[in-house]
Amino acid sequence: MSTIAYHELPVRPAPQRQRHLSAVPLAAPAQPAAAPLRLTRRGRIVVFAAVALLLAVSSIVLGASVAATDDAATLPTTTVQVQPGQTLWEIAAEANPGGDIRTTIDEIVRLNALPNASGLKMGTTLAVPVYEG
């Protein structure tokens, strides 16, 4: 008689659908309250030096534009009202008959803070330097 060997084959379960889960971050451990910021002696020196440097730089940058000169105060001046057809050249020639007219025009422009020597309008009152001689 012949024998047949019978082995049970392992049964594989049917494949199941896989889920894709996203990682959930762990809760951060509670951190103790931060201690107040304290400066060391060296830190105070660095902060003081930085503030002093900032003040020095700003005073140099802004101080140059605010500095006044004594040039205008040393010149005696008079006022002249511009007449129709009158030019700055004529006003300078009357104010300084024996001197350099171009220098006088430059001083009148500077004294009156005019943008240039050409935009003179009738009726404008100008400060004109008084010259001896």
Side-chain angles (χ1 to χ4, degrees):
M1 188 165 189
S2 44
T3 59
I4 299 177
Y6 175 69
H7 295 280
E8 284 191 34
L9 296 173
V11 178
R12 292 187 183 173
Q16 294 184 0
R17 188 173 182 186
Q18 293 181 353
R19 291 184 173 177
H20 296 285
L21 299 176
S22 61
V24 177
L26 296 174
Q31 300 216 357
L37 180 65
R38 293 176 52 143
L39 285 177
T40 62
R41 182 171 185 234
R42 185 181 352 171
R44 285 190 296 268
I45 291 171
V46 168
V47 169
F48 176 76
V51 169
L53 181 67
L54 180 67
L55 288 174
V57 168
S58 64
S59 68
I60 289 171
V61 169
L62 297 176
S65 64
V66 183
T69 60
D70 292 333
D71 295 342
T74 58
L75 289 175
T77 59
T78 186
T79 57
V80 174
Q81 190 166 11
V82 179
Q83 301 301 317
Q86 196 173 25
T87 63
L88 202 52
W89 186 272
E90 293 171 351
I91 294 171
E94 289 176 15
N96 192 5
D100 185 14
I101 305 296
R102 291 172 296 215
T103 306
T104 307
I105 289 174
D106 289 339
E107 289 177 0
I108 293 171
V109 168
R110 185 179 49 78
L111 278 172
N112 295 286
L114 298 173
N116 54 37
S118 63
L120 207 56
K121 294 185 176 131
M122 178 182 74
T124 304
T125 303
L126 295 176
V128 178
V130 176
Y131 294 95
E132 309 256 342

